[in-house]
Amino acid sequence: MDLLQFARGPALTWAFAIFVFGMTWRLVGILLLKRRPDYSEPRNTASWTGAIKLIITRSWPHREFRKRTIFGLSVGYIFHIGLAIVVFGFAPHIMFIRSLTGLDWPNLPNAVIYISGAITIAALIIVMGRRLTNPVMRLISNFDDYFSWFVTITPVVTGMLAVAHLGARYETLLAIHILSIALLLVWFPFGKLMHSALIFISRGTTGALFERKGASI
């Protein structure tokens, strides 16, 4: 078994198994959290409107904080959108998803994918540079922050190298790319990357509680 066969076979299989287990464990754990009963009379019974409202309003900073946070927030949006374009717009990725789920959709032109990948890498480098140079961010950063950044940028870099055939044989580059994705899948449920799955749940829950209490959102 060569490296590519290992990456496509056991590595990816185990990575998916750990990913599914981890996601299930985290989500079930949240659902089983003990909640204290709320005996207060609800001010509004349509709590779902508060959930939607908070998800939308917290996706952009309040005017008072905009000047200080706009740069970091903008870079964050850039690399998140870039990642989404690369993951869900590249033809080989769509074929892989189709083989797993049966879902299919049109792919984007390769030029769009390559440009998005380059912009994503640049944005992630800026994010790390900001984290390393900002005293406050450096103080509150831990292993999770740095490792989550590493497992996020590595598949993009290795994917770009693979399509460009730079640095090694294509089969080797592809194997490294797949292994980096496997590492991302294994880490995803247990690190801060899980925020991408929980952010809407947490914001929606908070918004629903606010709406029930009649609090301003």
Side-chain angles (χ1 to χ4, degrees):
M1 180 184 295
D2 60 22
L3 184 62
L4 183 56
Q5 290 174 327
F6 170 75
R8 283 175 165 169
L12 206 53
T13 300
W14 277 102
F16 270 116
I18 295 171
F19 174 79
V20 171
F21 169 79
M23 292 291 289
T24 304
W25 176 66
R26 291 293 299 273
L27 294 175
V28 170
I30 292 171
L31 292 174
L32 293 179
L33 285 174
K34 189 175 182 180
R35 294 171 176 81
R36 291 183 298 178
D38 189 349
Y39 299 109
S40 62
E41 184 178 349
R43 301 288 183 88
N44 191 342
T45 56
S47 56
W48 62 270
T49 59
I52 295 174
K53 190 184 299 182
L54 195 75
I55 289 172
I56 295 173
T57 58
R58 293 301 186 270
S59 296
W60 198 252
H62 286 292
R63 183 175 55 189
E64 294 82 1
F65 308 111
R66 199 166 296 164
K67 187 175 181 180
R68 287 179 173 270
T69 61
I70 188 66
F71 177 76
L73 188 70
S74 299
V75 174
Y77 269 115
I78 287 171
F79 85 74
H80 279 86
I81 293 171
L83 277 174
I85 291 173
V86 171
V87 172
F88 298 109
F90 192 35
H93 295 167
I94 297 172
M95 293 172 61
F96 177 71
I97 295 171
R98 183 177 61 201
S99 69
L100 294 175
T101 65
L103 299 175
D104 192 17
W105 55 86
N107 63 282
L108 294 173
N110 286 344
V112 174
I113 301 300
Y114 301 155
I115 293 172
S116 298
I119 292 174
T120 300
I121 292 171
L124 283 166
I125 291 173
I126 292 172
V127 166
M128 179 53 67
R130 183 167 175 263
R131 184 175 294 278
L132 292 173
T133 56
N134 186 296
V136 176
M137 293 192 68
R138 191 168 64 247
L139 181 65
I140 63 176
S141 298
N142 56 25
F143 172 80
D144 194 344
D145 295 292
Y146 296 113
F147 193 69
S148 293
W149 177 88
F150 173 77
V151 299
T152 300
I153 195 172
T154 302
V156 187
V157 172
T158 56
M160 294 285 283
L161 291 174
V163 296
H165 298 254
L166 290 176
R169 293 173 60 247
Y170 173 73
E171 292 78 8
T172 302
L173 292 170
L174 181 59
I176 295 172
H177 177 58
I178 295 173
L179 288 173
S180 69
I181 294 171
L183 179 62
L184 173 64
L185 290 171
V186 169
W187 178 252
F188 188 97
F190 308 105
K192 290 186 177 181
L193 294 178
M194 188 65 182
H195 79 274
S196 59
L198 297 180
I199 185 170
F200 299 110
I201 297 174
S202 60
R203 287 181 180 177
T205 302
T206 304
L209 291 173
F210 281 6
E211 190 71 17
R212 187 183 190 281
K213 296 176 182 296
S216 176
I217 298 177

